[in-house]
Amino acid sequence: LDYQHVQVPFEITLWIMLASLAKIGFHLYNKLPSVVPESCLLIFVGLIMGGIIYGLNDKSPPVMDSDIFFLYLLPPIVLDAGYFMPSRPFFENIGTILLYAVVGTIWNVFGIGCSLYGICQVKAFRLQDVSLLHNLLFGSLIAAVDPVAVLAVFEEIHVNEKLHVLVFGESLLNDAVTVVLYKLFRSFCEMSTINSVDIFVGVGKFFVVGLGGVLVGLTFGLTAAFTTRFTKDIRVIEPLFVFLYSYLSYLTAEMFHLSGIVAIIACAMGMKRYVEANISLKSHTTVKYFMKMWSSVSDTLIFIFLGVSTIGENHEWNWPYICFTVIFCLIWRALGVLVLTFFVNRFHVNTITSKDQFIIAYGGLRGAICFSLVFLLPDFHRKKLFIAATTVVILFTVFIQGMTIRPLVDLLAVKRERESAPTVGEQIHIRFLDHLLAGIEDISGHWGQYYWKDKLEYFNSKYLQKILLREHDQPKSSIVLLYEKLERKHAIELAEAGQLGHAPSHPSLLRSGFLCSNNNRTAITDKKLEDTLNPAVLENIQEILARNLYRIRRTGPAYNRHTLPGEAEPVEHAEEILILRHKSL
Amino acid sequence: LDYQHVQVPFEITLWIMLASLAKIGFHLYNKLPSVVPESCLLIFVGLIMGGIIYGLNDKSPPVMDSDIFFLYLLPPIVLDAGYFMPSRPFFENIGTILLYAVVGTIWNVFGIGCSLYGICQVKAFRLQDVSLLHNLLFGSLIAAVDPVAVLAVFEEIHVNEKLHVLVFGESLLNDAVTVVLYKLFRSFCEMSTINSVDIFVGVGKFFVVGLGGVLVGLTFGLTAAFTTRFTKDIRVIEPLFVFLYSYLSYLTAEMFHLSGIVAIIACAMGMKRYVEANISLKSHTTVKYFMKMWSSVSDTLIFIFLGVSTIGENHEWNWPYICFTVIFCLIWRALGVLVLTFFVNRFHVNTITSKDQFIIAYGGLRGAICFSLVFLLPDFHRKKLFIAATTVVILFTVFIQGMTIRPLVDLLAVKRERESAPTVGEQIHIRFLDHLLAGIEDISGHWGQYYWKDKLEYFNSKYLQKILLREHDQPKSSIVLLYEKLERKHAIELAEAGQLGHAPSHPSLLRSGFLCSNNNRTAITDKKLEDTLNPAVLENIQEILARNLYRIRRTGPAYNRHTLPGEAEPVEHAEEILILRHKSL
């Protein structure tokens, strides 16, 4: 037995297998996932696994390595999120999202940090050794809403698109703020004196980290699009480029201390449109499917590891500090959302209702990012307290908030996601209104979103498409693409209905003979079939023949010396059909 | 800049990117890959890269790590090979393949090893310190035909299926023999005395390693099939199981010192049929596409690394030893094929022609497996000589044989692969003959391949299918599946022809109205379109409207106070059609 040799890939494969099997297990009982979110179940599985490991080895199970989390588990989820981000609601609400992500997060960091410092001053709690800077550092890691946790819960409750994009967009874009504040406070903690210059540098870094991430992402995204121009002869590696370039954008951004999450989202959103036009349909299916698969596995692994890492002796328990952390997280988020939304609503016609505000505040779940960041803290004597507080906040938000948010959404009757995709008519009207509003904005001299969108669209069709698309003479509009997709889908449905016979609504189509060219191929004599095939197969084929082949035999009858071509006897035919139908029923 | 942190994933991604871009580069000039096989081009790129690294650092570039090769690069290629192995010709020729793989490889090992030992006895060559055991060890690693190299060359020259499966099957199945002989001689080299018991144990190991691999593979394959029974509600992780279980089978086999290649092939061939029936069509596309993509990338990386690793100071040059190695490799393989085929032909009706024999002997390419094995040798003073000889043999076979095999195949007029897939009629006849022959074998008491195939098929439909398939009440025969596939393909073709307008052969179908239900959705007024869309989009849509929408408007005419429903004026219609046609042309 040579376990050493295969240990690394073997254990990785086994963990992924465990995660996938757990996912299958939950779905075997349909009732379970409809009550408890999957993320809770997975953490629960993780807790059990951790307990088993702890019990067997009598030492703490290994905690999730921050490097593994940030380098391997997080990128697939963010890539998936960016690639499938509904771009229209995202860009329509980009102002609000940025306000929540930047100002809201700063508000939360300082609010939580300062009020926890206040708690630390109470002598009875014996926490006076935790300085203001340490509290702010803790605030910076606990304040940020986690995209993985938010996605896991919000994908299941199906709130309306705007609400979804507000919470989810915030959770993605606050990464830039979190990175800056976390690193800033961590370096402040290690410095002896802090100059006012350092603070100004910190503020400047916001813009560098965020905009730098966008720049890196867009560069890689457009390069990816340009690369897929040349893959026509070698379709099989097309999907690879989508993954390689997005991952490179993430790594490059991380390398330069920029926001990797922002970079990968910019990359995915930038390349999507061009890549989809360049690659083949099958490559596109593979990209979409594999992205979903990968992010789903990453997601599962993160929650399981979160559960496993909770077990152990990493925690220092201090009731007041931990309880007040949970309370402050809730209060400051609620206050932040209320205040920011008040300003947002003053400038918008489509206001955010108070129900929506409640869900935004309540949906501020914390997750694996906080967890990884707290383990990355430099060693100091209260680190274990911070770990314990972070763990409790994560478990509280994921379990209590995650499990109650669905009933609350039902109770408040929050506007849900619309069931059906927009019709072609609606799409055309939306487009019409866009052009109209761009015209109005242009005339009135107001440079709003429609004006910029129009300019961007012009720039895109004038320059970008010509460089990035292979068939730049044939740029297809989204309506034409939708039409193609619908037609293809319908054709497949027809084909399948023709075989499976489950579609009584299509019989006229089936008999109208559009399957002729196929049937000629299968027009083989029935006799030989009956001799050679086993009964099950025979029945199957007979069913098909009965349904589809009759007409062919009539259009091309066997040569017979006594009949002229076209001289068909309708009575005999009717009889034959009847017999065949009878047999097949 | 924090390069340390992201180094590992960054460099891996860059290597994969280089490999993919190299592949695109070759295909930009269509002439190049048709003359030089891709494997040669890739080794060439690797040589250049290695030269650059050597020139910049002034030390040998890193050689391909054997662990990385065997654990990460080889499995995807073998999985792909096993999954897409044409099972009928493979099992029809399994006896011949095993003879070549087992007896042929042993023949080559001892032939090459002993005759090289003879060369070492010549005093003038100054090689007397290389013992017989070391020569046999070298023979055991240089004798085996390499599946990666064979696949890379044979996929491009399209010889007939039987010839392909003979060479390729041999290259896959000889892994068991190579593993045993290599490990045996390596341990003999380290032992002081060799008992005759050790030799018998060695012989016994053949069966353990080979059959054990098959057993491990089948176990994992059937488990995979069983798992996919339960993925109906969670389609997105279906493709994962195919990859996870095959990889686990490989790792488990390697862990127990069995043949990993044999295991993964058994796993892939065992699961394929059931998994395909259980998983959705899109999952299946993803599995196929990703497998091809992954193996293609692995393949590319292997050849590039092979080139990179060639450069450096690992070589000890000894003209006679290296030249005689190349010569003996060619001679012993040719002799082996001749002798073995002589026996094979005596027992078969479909004999292997002398042309085929030549191609089998000539197609015995060596590749990355030898290369990795020679680096895994324990350190002894002539290791560098063995490395040099292996490198020369690999480069000789890949470059000289790989580049000349295509002209030779043309020159000898070797029977090529048939262009088209077998028709349904042919398939049914083949099946008919199978049953007939099984019956004849049963009556005559001869337990040949048809008898066993029939028994296996019975066992499969009686027990296996019921356990492993989800819809065990509906086992579809391959003919029904083919029919479904053809129909689906045809439907998509129709849909695409309808949009793209490149199919003048289908006009009657397009006008026969089977697209009605789609068109209702797009039945929007033309006027609004013209106002809002840019000219290119407009033209595109108008073309579609002109082709497809007219009939709809006729079947559902706008309400008009002056006409009754159904009171259509044919003249006006004809005019309108004419105008639309004219516009769109």
Side-chain angles (χ1 to χ4, degrees), chain A residues 68-84 148 151 243 246-247 250 264 290-299 302:
Chain A
I68 290 178
F69 174 73
F70 281 113
L71 290 182
Y72 304 107
L73 294 177
L74 190 57
I77 300 177
V78 181
L79 173 62
D80 176 60
Y83 198 82
F84 292 100
V148 183
L151 201 64
F243 299 110
S246 348
Y247 193 43
Y250 181 84
I264 205 169
F290 212 79
M291 220 175 250
K292 283 270 167 236
M293 188 178 95
W294 213 336
S295 74
S296 155
V297 169
S298 273
D299 188 89
I302 287 173

Side-chain angles (χ1 to χ4, degrees), chain B residues 192-212:
Chain B
S192 49
T193 56
I194 299 160
N195 299 323
S196 55
V197 182
D198 295 326
I199 295 169
F200 280 108
V201 169
V203 174
K205 264 195 173 174
F206 277 126
F207 297 97
V208 175
V209 168
L211 296 179

Side-chain angles (χ1 to χ4, degrees), chain B residues 508-523:
Chain B
S508 60
L509 291 165
L510 294 174
R511 288 196 211 100
S512 76
F514 82 95
L515 298 169
C516 304
S517 50
N518 276 332
N519 291 338
N520 283 334
R521 287 200 184 184
T522 47

Side-chain angles (χ1 to χ4, degrees), chain A residues 430-443:
Chain A
I430 290 169
R431 186 177 283 223
F432 170 70
L433 281 172
D434 282 358
H435 284 273
L436 196 70
L437 285 168
I440 292 173
E441 284 188 354
D442 206 12
I443 292 167

